[in-house]
Amino acid sequence: MQSYLMPAKKQRFELEIKRSRFITTLDQAENRPRAKAIIQSIRAEYPDASHHCWAMLTGEPQDHTGMDQSDDGEPRGTAGKPILNVLQHSGIGQCVIVVTRYFGGIKLGAGGLVRAYTKCASEALLQLESVEFIPRMSLQIETPFNLLASIEHWFEQTEIVVNSKEFTEQVRLEISVPNSLHEALLLKFNEIGNGKISVKE
């Protein structure tokens, strides 16, 4: 799994299209329950809106298992699918987009709705403030005391995080390692410890 971008925080953008008010909310959602909770909170925030159409992609950008969408009463295929299509091609992961519509009295037609919801999602994603998500794995390592300083010095130069440290006959560390550094870590441990550092995944 490679690193990718995701929303940095809850963000909101608004457009008026032929008197209809479209409020687009984007937020970070690492799983379906989190995305559903965000959708429900927006429904509660705008209870008098005509529609709350949404799309979610709760994993990495290419992960189809984390995708879902809803037209929420708009004609089938005119809202949720266009929003999801924009999200799928954005390179953004762990994201839920909700487009809240207040009907302005002018019917847009199927084609007009597709264009409107596509525009809402596209413009919101163009303005999105994002952060990089770095996939990580947890590892347990055991090392002799005399090697600890060298190990920690190397950790300080990387994105490896020490979650816990326990001193027994040796030093036991629980660490969080970016997937991309896994092989480099094993090579470095061999270089530093010459087989004296054990790693458990």
Side-chain angles (χ1 to χ4, degrees):
M1 188 189 300
Q2 301 297 314
S3 62
Y4 55 85
L5 297 176
M6 66 180 185
K9 59 185 179 181
K10 182 178 178 180
Q11 294 162 74
R12 186 162 282 164
F13 309 92
E14 190 167 332
L15 285 174
E16 184 176 310
I17 301 172
K18 292 187 177 179
R19 296 184 185 173
S20 279
R21 181 186 176 200
F22 292 87
I23 305 164
T24 304
T25 307
L26 299 92
D27 207 346
Q28 190 272 326
E30 70 279 9
N31 54 47
R32 185 180 179 85
R34 162 77 176 160
K36 285 290 193 178
I38 292 166
I39 294 164
Q40 287 306 117
S41 72
I42 294 168
R43 287 187 187 280
E45 187 177 356
Y46 298 105
D48 56 338
S50 308
H51 307 278
H52 299 281
C53 306
W54 55 263
M56 67 172 76
L57 199 168
T58 58
E60 58 182 310
Q62 294 78 30
D63 183 6
H64 289 222
T65 60
M67 295 180 185
D68 200 358
Q69 52 86 17
S70 170
D71 296 312
D72 192 43
E74 293 281 33
R76 186 175 179 180
T78 62
K81 190 173 180 181
I83 298 168
L84 181 59
N85 185 54
V86 172
L87 180 56
Q88 283 180 272
H89 292 89
S90 69
I92 301 292
Q94 295 193 38
C95 181
V96 59
I97 302 176
V98 183
V99 182
T100 299
R101 181 189 183 194
Y102 282 89
F103 180 55
I106 300 175
K107 292 185 177 181
L108 301 181
L113 286 170
V114 169
R115 288 190 293 273
Y117 283 102
T118 298
K119 183 176 183 180
C120 288
S122 298
E123 294 203 5
L125 283 164
L126 282 173
Q127 300 174 68
L128 180 69
E129 183 182 336
S130 61
V131 293
E132 185 179 15
F133 173 77
I134 301 174
R136 291 178 171 270
M137 62 178 69
S138 295
L139 300 175
Q140 287 188 346
I141 66 172
E142 288 191 356
T143 177
F145 287 91
N146 65 321
L147 299 179
L148 182 61
S150 296
I151 291 171
E152 291 187 321
H153 177 71
W154 185 64
F155 285 173
E156 288 170 3
Q157 301 171 54
T158 69
E159 295 174 319
I160 296 172
V161 177
V162 177
N163 296 322
S164 68
K165 190 186 301 183
E166 182 182 350
F167 295 91
T168 55
E169 294 178 2
Q170 291 194 312
V171 184
R172 182 177 298 161
L173 304 174
E174 287 194 8
I175 60 175
S176 175
V177 183
N179 291 3
S180 59
L181 285 180
H182 183 244
E183 288 187 19
L185 177 140
L186 297 178
L187 289 171
K188 190 67 176 180
F189 281 177
N190 283 333
E191 177 190 322
I192 296 173
N194 196 24
K196 295 177 182 177
I197 303 171
S198 67
V199 180
K200 294 180 181 177
E201 297 189 10

